Amino acid sequence: MKFESDKAPKPVGAYPHARKVGNLLFLSGVGPRKPNSKDIPGVQLDKDGYVISHDIEAQCHTVFNNIRIILEESGSNWDNLVDVTVFLTDMKGDFDTYNRIYADYFKDNQPCRTTVEVTSLPTPIAIEIKCIATID
């Protein structure tokens, strides 16, 4: 069963926000675009659309909020997260800030986590998260 939420940012491709298989909920990659908008918090672009700078702190808070929306709209919740895969475009510059914010959001529930650096993401974002949660 697939889930799509009109409260979360629209996917940038042909995929659902989440898919339920058994008691597991698999979220597609979630970025920090604001819900119902193409706005990306803290991003400055040049005239050709290339990123000049980004605010990883603002993007982290927004992506975590987007994940929470999708989880709740799909019948799960934050505490049911069991696995998180994080894609950063600047590991050296952003990891410490990301890791600090992540620790605040995951004080009580600590899912397994993998963090990798990628050259770019489909939109001018600095972070994307893919995760798995359970559904009670």
Side-chain angles (χ1 to χ4, degrees):
M1 173 184 300
K2 71 178 184 174
F3 295 95
E4 295 184 30
S5 171
D6 58 2
K7 294 180 182 177
K10 294 189 184 325
V12 296
Y15 55 86
H17 284 116
R19 181 171 291 278
K20 179 183 175 193
V21 178
N23 75 328
L24 295 177
L25 184 68
F26 297 83
L27 273 66
S28 297
V30 179
R33 285 181 296 117
K34 291 184 180 178
N36 298 310
S37 171
K38 292 186 179 187
D39 292 340
I40 302 166
V43 170
Q44 289 185 312
L45 303 175
D46 67 15
K47 63 181 176 69
D48 297 318
Y50 292 98
V51 176
I52 297 171
S53 67
H54 66 270
D55 179 344
I56 191 63
E57 188 161 342
Q59 289 196 26
C60 286
H61 290 298
T62 304
V63 75
F64 289 147
N65 183 59
N66 290 341
I67 289 169
R68 188 179 306 274
I69 289 168
I70 294 167
L71 287 169
E72 291 173 0
E73 290 279 299
S74 302
S76 189
N77 64 67
W78 191 261
D79 291 334
N80 286 12
L81 283 166
V82 294
D83 189 63
V84 175
T85 303
V86 182
F87 304 94
L88 295 174
T89 60
D90 183 4
M91 186 75 75
K92 189 173 183 178
D94 292 341
F95 182 79
D96 288 344
T97 300
Y98 155 74
N99 202 41
R100 175 180 48 79
I101 295 167
Y102 183 96
D104 287 341
Y105 279 83
F106 289 97
K107 286 178 186 169
D108 299 323
N109 176 33
Q110 294 186 336
C112 294
R113 183 182 93 180
T114 302
T115 306
V116 297
E117 182 177 51
V118 295
T119 304
S120 66
L121 292 161
T123 59
I125 58 178
I127 184 171
E128 181 172 296
I129 298 179
K130 179 166 182 34
C131 46
I132 302 169
T134 58
I135 295 181
D136 298 327

